Amino acid sequence: QGMLLNSLVALGAHPSPILAGHLYMHLSSTQQHMHANAPAGCSWLNHLAPYLLSPLFGVPSGAYKLHHVVMHHVEDNTWGWDLSSTEGFRRDSLACFAFYWLRFLLVSAVELPLYALRRRRHRHAATAAASMAGGWLLTAVLWQRCALATFYTLLLPYLVSSLALMFGNWSQHIFVDPDTPRDDYKLAYNCLACSDNPKTYNDGY
């Protein structure tokens, strides 16, 4: 059952929950009234998806906003600051992509809070470190209770999602103009009139 569930998620619905979270993180960062106008006593519900539900889709607890909104969009693929930058890699090399993915897979839980500290974003650093450490600690405890269930519900989604997310970013920034690498029009591609855009909240732009 676990294998069937994960196969269906990977083949069909998998991108939608993550990209819904992507949209929500951007909106919540720019439209503070989403939190201010929440019904009395219900604002805590805004934390369910990024902290409790996201690990079920392979995104570490509390990591997405810091990694994507705070770091990636601000640093804009800049080597040395953006931990998901493609600038230092050969984008036509499978070995380079494997290293790129494995770095994210294995050490992002350490590098991400350290990045926030370097940028003096202490609250983000503390929140990310605590939530990711708590998430992995819970995963270890659940592994002791039932390894098979933990693998299918938490570890396999993490493997699949990290590969998909890193391949997506690798592909999006595969062409970078070496003369003007900071130009937003020359460091990423845009998919216009793409059939995937209505299904992914216009993620192709």
Side-chain angles (χ1 to χ4, degrees), residues 111-151:
E111 287 190 322
L112 196 54
L114 289 178
Y115 158 79
L117 287 176
R118 289 170 64 200
R119 284 301 196 194
R120 300 183 184 279
R121 296 179 177 272
H122 300 107
R123 181 174 60 84
H124 283 294
T127 301
S131 57
M132 285 192 286
W136 288 117
L137 179 61
L138 178 60
T139 300
V141 171
L142 292 174
W143 180 269
Q144 297 297 320
R145 296 293 300 271
C146 184
L148 187 63
T150 303
F151 174 76

Side-chain angles (χ1 to χ4, degrees), residues 83-158:
L83 300 178
S84 55
S85 173
T86 61
E87 288 183 350
F89 296 94
R90 284 190 49 160
R91 267 87 71 196
D92 62 349
S93 168
L94 183 60
C96 282
F97 173 71
F99 179 82
Y100 178 79
W101 170 50
L102 289 172
R103 175 188 174 188
F104 175 82
L105 183 77
L106 300 174
V107 298
S108 61
V110 175
E111 287 190 322
L112 196 54
L114 289 178
Y115 158 79
L117 287 176
R118 289 170 64 200
R119 284 301 196 194
R120 300 183 184 279
R121 296 179 177 272
H122 300 107
R123 181 174 60 84
H124 283 294
T127 301
S131 57
M132 285 192 286
W136 288 117
L137 179 61
L138 178 60
T139 300
V141 171
L142 292 174
W143 180 269
Q144 297 297 320
R145 296 293 300 271
C146 184
L148 187 63
T150 303
F151 174 76
Y152 279 115
T153 57
L154 295 174
L155 296 180
L156 184 59
Y158 180 57

Side-chain angles (χ1 to χ4, degrees), residues 33-43 46:
H33 68 270
M34 289 180 63
H35 298 282
N37 293 340
C42 294
S43 60
N46 289 317

Side-chain angles (χ1 to χ4, degrees), residues 6-204:
N6 279 279
S7 298
L8 291 173
V9 167
L11 291 174
H14 175 265
S16 297
I18 292 180
L19 292 172
H22 171 258
L23 176 66
Y24 168 77
M25 285 300 173
H26 279 286
L27 290 176
S28 64
S29 296
T30 59
Q31 301 180 24
Q32 296 302 321
H33 68 270
M34 289 180 63
H35 298 282
N37 293 340
C42 294
S43 60
W44 62 272
L45 292 171
N46 289 317
H47 301 295
L48 283 180
Y51 292 99
L52 295 181
L53 298 181
S54 62
L56 298 175
F57 297 97
V59 179
S61 177
Y64 194 88
K65 182 174 183 178
L66 174 56
H67 191 283
H68 185 75
V69 179
V70 176
M71 180 193 70
H72 182 58
H73 276 287
V74 172
E75 306 301 350
D76 215 13
N77 204 46
T78 302
W79 183 255
W81 286 105
D82 187 346
L83 300 178
S84 55
S85 173
T86 61
E87 288 183 350
F89 296 94
R90 284 190 49 160
R91 267 87 71 196
D92 62 349
S93 168
L94 183 60
C96 282
F97 173 71
F99 179 82
Y100 178 79
W101 170 50
L102 289 172
R103 175 188 174 188
F104 175 82
L105 183 77
L106 300 174
V107 298
S108 61
V110 175
E111 287 190 322
L112 196 54
L114 289 178
Y115 158 79
L117 287 176
R118 289 170 64 200
R119 284 301 196 194
R120 300 183 184 279
R121 296 179 177 272
H122 300 107
R123 181 174 60 84
H124 283 294
T127 301
S131 57
M132 285 192 286
W136 288 117
L137 179 61
L138 178 60
T139 300
V141 171
L142 292 174
W143 180 269
Q144 297 297 320
R145 296 293 300 271
C146 184
L148 187 63
T150 303
F151 174 76
Y152 279 115
T153 57
L154 295 174
L155 296 180
L156 184 59
Y158 180 57
L159 290 171
V160 172
S161 291
S162 63
L163 178 62
L165 290 168
M166 289 297 98
F167 181 74
N169 195 70
W170 179 273
S171 302
Q172 192 169 40
H173 297 286
I174 200 167
F175 302 114
V176 178
D177 187 339
D179 296 324
T180 53
R182 302 281 79 77
D183 187 332
D184 285 334
Y185 297 102
K186 298 180 180 180
L187 60 79
Y189 68 77
N190 287 302
C191 299
L192 304 179
C194 176
S195 60
D196 278 348
N197 282 347
K199 305 173 188 174
T200 58
Y201 307 93
N202 282 328
D203 187 58

